């Protein structure tokens, strides 16, 4: 690997709280080590459109507390084509970039892995997604903040649910991962949690709700992961209401508010550690890998392994705890 002189930094895919902290760490670590930095607007689309600019330390001042991403983000269909990647490489090469730090989720990682192999450009990826659905790390940037946002919403919904003897179905994000639903459901005291990884029949859910009614609960909350096989909170609520009308039933879909807001302290620290480590790994000669955290230690995982879904599974202890806490 040739000596790295300029590192390109970009964010791609869905935004997540803490991305700015990762950008800040990557930029300042590169500068500290005598390297130049280029910011790339709108991810892979920015490579194709050539929307790049020099970054220095002041470029990332006062952004650690901001949600979203100052580098913006976009989906880019053109980058999925050989022609699009060829155009991207020509622009990257012309800008003098000889290594990349990519911040995003599995789509970002997939693009980075293909691009690096085709053009032999070093790349390190940082997992920035609220879904917490990538191998190679216990936590992804934005996951903690999203959980806190959901818990805050559940607490507020609980207040009005108890005031009116209501049953609320609260839909949370996560795509095909139930991590947010499970953790926020436990922290928010939900009576039931529907997860993509677990098949929960409507009849089984109704049985759980009936047990709650028999216990004279004044209200109940059911957390529904958006990827649940029953079809989302609205459909689940409709099917339950047909057979269980003990409570007045309401639906609340939290949606994209889960992606917004200032990152939590935990996400700021995690993102800073990952941004620093991504640059340091590149300077050591590492490439085509993702930064992750296992326990308290920062680790790297080859991109091919990180993109594999084989190891992804919910914590079974948490699933059992959620069941017990609902009685």
């Amino acid at each position: 690997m040739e000596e790295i002189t300029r590192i390109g930094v970009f964010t791609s895919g869905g935004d997540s709280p803490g991305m700015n902290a990762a950008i800040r760490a990557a930029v300042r670590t590169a500068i500290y080590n005598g390297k130049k930095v280029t910011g790339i607007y709108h991810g892979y689309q920015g490579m194709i459109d050539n929307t790049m600019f020099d970054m220095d330390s002041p470029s990332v001042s006062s952004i650690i507390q901001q949600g979203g991403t100052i580098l913006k983000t976009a989906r880019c269909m053109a980058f999925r084509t050989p022609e699009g990647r060829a155009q991207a490489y020509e622009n990257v090469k012309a800008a003098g970039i000889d290594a990349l730090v990519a911040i995003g989720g599995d789509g970002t990682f997939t693009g980075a892995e293909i691009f690096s192999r085709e053009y032999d450009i070093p790349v390190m990826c940082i997992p920035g997604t609220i879904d917490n659905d990538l191998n190679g790390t216990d936590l992804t940037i934005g996951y903690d903040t999203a959980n806190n946002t959901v818990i805050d919403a559940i607490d507020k919904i609980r207040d009005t649910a108890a005031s009116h003897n209501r049953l609320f179905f609260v839909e949370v994000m996560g795509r095909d991962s139930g991590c947010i639903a499970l953790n926020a459901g436990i922290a928010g005291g939900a009576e039931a949690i529907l997860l993509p990884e677990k098949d929960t029949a409507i009849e089984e859910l109704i049985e759980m709700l009936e047990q709650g009614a028999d216990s004279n609960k004044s209200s109940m909350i059911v957390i529904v992961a958006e990827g649940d096989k029953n079809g989302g909170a609205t459909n689940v609520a409709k099917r339950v209401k047909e057979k269980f009308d003990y409570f007045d039933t309401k639906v609340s879909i939290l949606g994209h508010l889960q992606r917004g807001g200032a990152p939590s302290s935990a996400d700021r620290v995690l993102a800073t550690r990952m941004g620093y480590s991504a640059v340091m790994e590149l300077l050591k000669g590492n490439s085509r890998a993702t930064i992750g955290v296992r326990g308290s230690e920062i680790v790297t995982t080859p991109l091919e392994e990180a993109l594999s879904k084989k190891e992804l599974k919910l914590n079974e202890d948490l699933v059992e705890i959620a069941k017990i806490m609902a009685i």
Side-chain angles (χ1 to χ4, degrees):
M1 183 183 294
E2 296 182 4
E3 181 184 358
I4 293 171
T5 60
R6 181 179 290 272
I7 297 174
V9 180
F10 68 96
T11 53
S12 179
D15 63 292
S16 63
M19 279 185 166
N20 283 326
I23 294 168
R24 173 179 177 269
V27 169
R28 289 190 169 172
T29 301
I31 291 171
Y32 180 84
N33 284 277
K35 308 304 176 183
K36 297 178 181 179
V37 183
T38 295
I40 304 170
Y41 278 126
H42 297 112
Y44 294 118
Q45 189 65 54
M47 292 184 192
I48 294 173
D49 295 341
N50 202 21
T51 52
M52 307 182 196
F53 66 104
D54 288 340
M55 298 187 77
D56 54 17
S57 187
S59 299
V60 292
S61 294
S62 300
I63 67 168
I64 194 171
Q65 77 281 6
Q66 296 177 20
T69 163
I70 63 164
L71 293 179
K72 309 300 181 183
T73 183
R75 311 287 183 183
C76 182
M77 297 302 294
F79 195 79
R80 297 184 180 185
T81 68
E83 295 78 12
R85 292 192 295 274
Q87 181 63 57
Y89 179 69
E90 286 302 315
N91 291 333
V92 165
K93 184 178 179 181
I97 295 170
D98 41 30
L100 293 167
V101 171
I103 307 168
D106 56 2
T108 303
F109 287 16
T110 299
E113 204 273 338
I114 294 172
F115 193 55
S116 178
R117 288 192 182 278
E118 284 184 342
Y119 295 101
D120 196 29
I121 183 169
V123 62
M124 288 298 299
C125 292
I126 297 174
T129 168
I130 68 169
D131 300 334
N132 203 40
D133 61 349
L134 292 168
N135 277 327
T137 186
D138 294 339
L139 298 168
T140 58
I141 296 170
Y143 173 64
D144 182 72
T145 305
N147 265 294
N148 291 336
T149 298
V150 172
I151 292 164
D152 182 62
I154 291 173
D155 289 346
K156 289 178 170 63
I157 289 170
R158 176 77 71 181
D159 290 342
T160 189
S163 298
H164 294 274
N165 282 17
R166 282 175 173 164
L167 164 61
F168 265 89
F169 291 87
V170 181
E171 183 174 305
V172 302
M173 295 176 78
R175 294 196 305 175
D176 297 325
S177 169
C179 286
I180 292 177
L182 179 58
N183 284 271
I186 291 174
E191 278 66 34
I193 306 171
L194 302 189
L195 305 166
E197 297 88 346
K198 299 286 182 181
D199 289 328
T200 303
I202 295 298
E203 292 72 21
E204 182 182 352
L205 173 60
I206 291 173
E207 183 178 339
M208 287 188 281
L209 296 175
E210 287 175 341
Q211 290 174 358
D214 291 341
S215 300
N216 295 316
K217 290 192 174 184
S218 61
S219 64
M220 285 193 279
I221 290 179
V222 176
I223 304 299
V224 183
E226 64 179 348
D228 177 67
K229 297 176 179 62
N230 288 299
T234 301
N235 187 57
V236 171
K238 179 181 178 182
R239 292 173 65 186
V240 168
K241 193 172 183 179
E242 292 172 352
K243 300 180 180 179
F244 180 78
D245 59 359
Y246 182 85
F247 290 107
D248 182 18
T249 300
K250 300 293 181 182
V251 175
S252 182
I253 299 175
L254 300 185
H256 284 76
L257 71 86
Q258 294 160 86
R259 281 190 184 170
S264 66
S265 172
D267 270 330
R268 296 183 199 193
V269 174
L270 178 64
T272 300
R273 293 180 72 192
M274 287 184 169
Y276 160 83
S277 298
V279 172
M280 296 307 295
E281 289 297 324
L282 282 172
L283 298 183
K284 292 176 186 175
N286 198 357
S287 179
R288 294 177 199 152
T290 178
I291 301 296
V293 60
R294 292 293 195 192
S296 61
E297 300 296 319
I298 293 292
V299 298
T300 62
T301 302
L303 279 176
E304 286 186 357
E305 183 179 335
L307 288 166
S308 169
K309 302 293 185 180
K310 292 179 181 179
E311 295 181 8
L312 287 175
K313 56 184 179 180
L314 291 177
N315 185 315
E316 291 298 329
D317 287 342
L318 288 182
V319 174
E320 182 66 15
I321 288 169
K323 179 181 176 181
I324 294 172
M325 293 300 106
I327 64 172

